[in-house]
Amino acid sequence: MSLFGNNYNSSSSTSLWTGNMIFMAMRNARTKKEVRELYNRASEANFKNRAVAILPSISKQQLLLTSSDSSENDIYDYQTNSNTAALDFIYGESDDPEGTIVSGGRTIDRVRSLIPFVHKSQAQAIPVFVIYTGNADLDSMIQNHSRDCEYVSRNGTYYDVFRGLPVEDIAYLLYESMPQINMKPAAESLLRALLEVLSRTTGNITIPNLARFSLPSLKTKIDEMQKAGQLSSDEYAEINRYYMSGSVESDSVRVFLNKLNRQFESVYGQQSQRACNIKRLINQKGVIAIDIGSPGNDILLSLVINHHLLLQSQGREFAILFDNVPLSKIPRFSELTSCKACAVSNGDFISSLHGGERRGEDLFSEVTGIVSKVVLFKHTSGASCKKWSEYLGSYNKIHIRYTISQGNTFMNLNDSRGLSVEEKEEPRVRAETISRLPDGLACIHAANGTLFAEITDL
């Protein structure tokens, strides 16, 4: 399905001219035809080195910066009969879902670029987790490209995060989701004592009843349960030990649980609607879209990520898609991306890498190292355009300056020519090009080339 196969095969069969070869040939050129042919040779060499194709339907003047000197124009055409060339290129030749980054442009364009990731995951019977901040276009796309789907949101199902989990796993999820400043062994012990009490008194642990429980009365409740015969001597000693070890962190645990509950209720409301069943969707190889409300819900986002990591540690296989989530807020992001495939969609992927526990460059290299395709739309940030231009690489472009001056007077004959041929390193895609892309037009980069094409529905 690659759009570049024929082009590469034909160009690799011809000799690749270098700047030095062009220079020597130009010195020996005698006719305009020979000069024109050498310009074509240089253009062919530049095209192969640059590995960028532009579909003929695109407005070239709008797409790439042009020079008054036509030999400087970075414009190349690729003929295709496909009406969905961009999606064809994103789909690629593999049947397996491939890691993808989609950045910039409009939401609808980014969603269309994710169709191959969701579609191929479902075709290969791989469940997909979508972690997003609410996206109606993404919801519609998932419905059209999944065998079964469930939306976890205020208008969908309730996020029953602790469903079917033992106390040990719930304690792990809560502790790992705490802000690092509060992650102390004492806090974990107090959480464990609280969970042991709730599991025996209510039989159902939820975030609302955790937040409602009065921590100052926890010790009294433990003693009452022991006197009422609800705890054996060994159980009482164990739970009491948890409490005594963690009582110094009562305030920080209380603040953490209240903040988590506020974020939870603002996104999912009260637990009145049908609860989600994530394990059922995994078993049925469906798509589970979990709304986190807004990027500012840092504790809720951390809880969702840790829940997925727990499922992964239990041997569950799935693909994962992030939409409009700032990656710098996910300290354990690298652990989660070890699943089969990962896709990231963001209005500005570069900006999403800053401002959290981990900063820019390392995380950029980490994420781009696990994906096979990058789809770029128009960016308004010059820094992002520059970063992506550097990522797309450079090539040695052959520049030719050739002039002929002829004179024929009665007493004097003059026939001179000026010649300059040099190879200059230039970006394959200029930063200004990314900043001027029209709506719907994408720069799609993969191992076998870079294509400019419009993203259209199948």
Side-chain angles (χ1 to χ4, degrees):
M1 197 179 286
S2 171
L3 295 175
F4 290 88
N6 294 334
N7 180 68
Y8 280 177
N9 290 335
S10 61
S11 59
S12 62
S13 64
T14 62
S15 60
L16 182 59
W17 286 62
T18 65
N20 185 57
M21 294 169 64
I22 293 287
F23 178 77
M24 297 301 296
M26 292 290 283
R27 286 184 61 182
N28 298 324
R30 297 299 178 187
T31 66
K32 289 184 179 180
K33 181 179 179 181
E34 290 176 332
V35 173
R36 191 179 301 111
E37 182 180 348
L38 290 170
Y39 268 96
N40 291 335
R41 291 285 190 179
S43 178
E44 178 186 332
N46 286 339
F47 176 72
K48 185 175 180 182
N49 284 332
R50 188 166 181 257
V52 175
I54 301 168
L55 298 186
S57 60
I58 301 306
S59 170
K60 303 166 190 173
Q61 294 294 331
Q62 189 177 17
L63 173 60
L64 292 177
L65 302 179
T66 59
S67 167
S68 57
D69 183 350
S70 60
S71 67
E72 293 295 310
N73 291 350
D74 283 341
I75 294 174
Y76 309 108
D77 288 311
Y78 185 80
Q79 301 297 323
T80 178
N81 295 323
S82 173
N83 294 323
T84 56
L87 282 181
D88 292 346
F89 190 43
I90 296 173
Y91 263 97
E93 298 179 350
S94 170
D95 292 331
D96 293 324
E98 298 174 315
T100 305
I101 293 173
V102 184
S103 181
R106 301 176 302 177
T107 301
I108 184 63
D109 295 324
R110 294 198 301 274
V111 167
R112 287 171 179 168
S113 303
L114 294 169
I115 290 174
F117 181 83
V118 174
H119 182 89
K120 290 169 72 171
S121 297
Q122 291 288 269
Q124 294 296 310
I126 300 172
V128 182
F129 278 111
V130 179
I131 301 174
Y132 69 141
T133 55
N135 184 336
D137 292 319
L138 186 59
D139 289 343
S140 177
M141 187 271 282
I142 289 171
Q143 273 193 326
N144 294 330
H145 294 274
S146 65
R147 60 176 69 193
D148 191 6
C149 57
E150 186 166 274
Y151 301 101
V152 183
S153 65
R154 182 182 289 270
N155 297 322
T157 57
Y158 184 83
Y159 189 28
D160 195 2
V161 63
F162 300 145
R163 179 173 183 159
L165 295 182
V167 167
E168 293 82 359
D169 287 345
I170 298 175
Y172 161 81
L173 287 180
L174 290 172
Y175 178 68
E176 290 293 333
S177 303
M178 294 182 75
Q180 288 193 351
I181 192 173
N182 297 327
M183 289 183 66
K184 301 174 182 177
E188 184 179 16
S189 293
L190 186 61
L191 283 171
R192 181 62 185 271
L194 174 60
L195 291 169
E196 292 288 356
V197 170
L198 278 178
S199 66
R200 287 170 169 80
T201 55
T202 67
N204 182 32
I205 298 174
T206 65
I207 289 176
N209 65 24
L210 282 170
R212 285 195 298 265
F213 193 95
S214 175
L215 285 177
S217 65
L218 181 57
K219 172 60 175 170
T220 303
K221 185 64 176 177
I222 295 172
D223 292 339
E224 290 176 353
M225 292 175 67
Q226 193 267 339
K227 291 177 182 178
Q230 294 176 288
L231 297 175
S232 66
S233 57
D234 290 342
E235 290 173 333
Y236 174 77
E238 181 181 20
I239 296 174
N240 194 56
R241 185 173 67 253
Y242 286 139
Y243 172 79
M244 297 304 291
S245 299
S247 59
V248 294
E249 291 298 322
S250 293
D251 288 342
S252 63
V253 169
R254 176 176 51 81
V255 170
F256 161 69
L257 291 175
N258 285 335
K259 186 176 180 181
L260 174 61
N261 187 49
R262 284 197 300 272
Q263 293 183 7
F264 217 81
E265 287 190 347
S266 70
V267 179
Y268 307 117
Q270 299 291 332
Q271 190 173 0
S272 56
Q273 72 266 40
R274 180 173 62 90
C276 66
N277 190 339
I278 287 178
K279 290 186 178 180
R280 177 186 69 82
L281 266 293
I282 291 179
N283 292 335
Q284 293 185 2
K285 313 298 184 183
V287 178
I288 308 101
I290 301 178
D291 190 354
I292 62 162
S294 75
N297 290 333
D298 53 338
I299 297 181
L300 175 56
L301 176 59
S302 182
L303 180 67
V304 173
I305 296 300
N306 289 318
H307 189 195
H308 287 68
L309 286 169
L310 179 62
L311 293 170
Q312 194 176 49
S313 69
Q314 295 172 348
R316 303 280 184 171
E317 182 188 34
F318 52 82
I320 192 159
L321 189 161
F322 292 97
D323 179 70
N324 201 32
V325 175
L327 301 182
S328 60
K329 289 193 174 183
I330 312 175
R332 304 183 68 191
F333 176 81
S334 58
E335 297 179 47
L336 191 57
T337 55
S338 61
C339 61
K340 187 170 183 66
C342 175
V344 180
S345 172
N346 200 289
D348 191 338
F349 174 82
I350 304 298
S351 67
S352 75
L353 304 178
H354 295 268
E357 297 295 332
R358 301 180 59 188
R359 299 190 65 84
E361 189 60 38
D362 290 342
L363 194 52
F364 178 85
S365 300
E366 184 176 288
V367 181
T368 54
I370 62 172
V371 302
S372 61
K373 290 185 175 66
V374 174
V375 182
L376 303 176
F377 295 96
K378 179 180 179 178
H379 282 65
T380 56
S381 168
S384 296
C385 293
K386 183 175 182 295
K387 183 68 176 178
W388 281 122
S389 178
E390 293 172 353
Y391 172 80
L392 295 171
S394 61
Y395 72 107
N396 290 327
K397 182 176 181 179
I398 300 174
H399 294 260
I400 301 174
R401 296 290 185 274
Y402 186 78
T403 60
I404 299 178
S405 176
Q406 292 178 321
N408 187 5
T409 64
F410 182 75
M411 296 296 296
N412 185 33
L413 295 175
N414 180 30
D415 187 353
S416 63
R417 64 177 66 184
L419 175 60
S420 172
V421 179
E422 62 177 353
E423 292 189 60
K424 181 181 178 182
E425 186 178 24
E426 295 209 3
R428 283 196 169 93
V429 178
R430 296 187 180 115
E432 296 89 342
T433 299
I434 299 174
S435 70
R436 297 188 180 190
L437 292 172
D439 288 341
L441 189 64
C443 171
I444 309 161
H445 174 73
N448 58 343
T450 302
L451 173 72
F452 283 95
E454 188 174 1
I455 301 287
T456 56
D457 279 323
L458 292 172

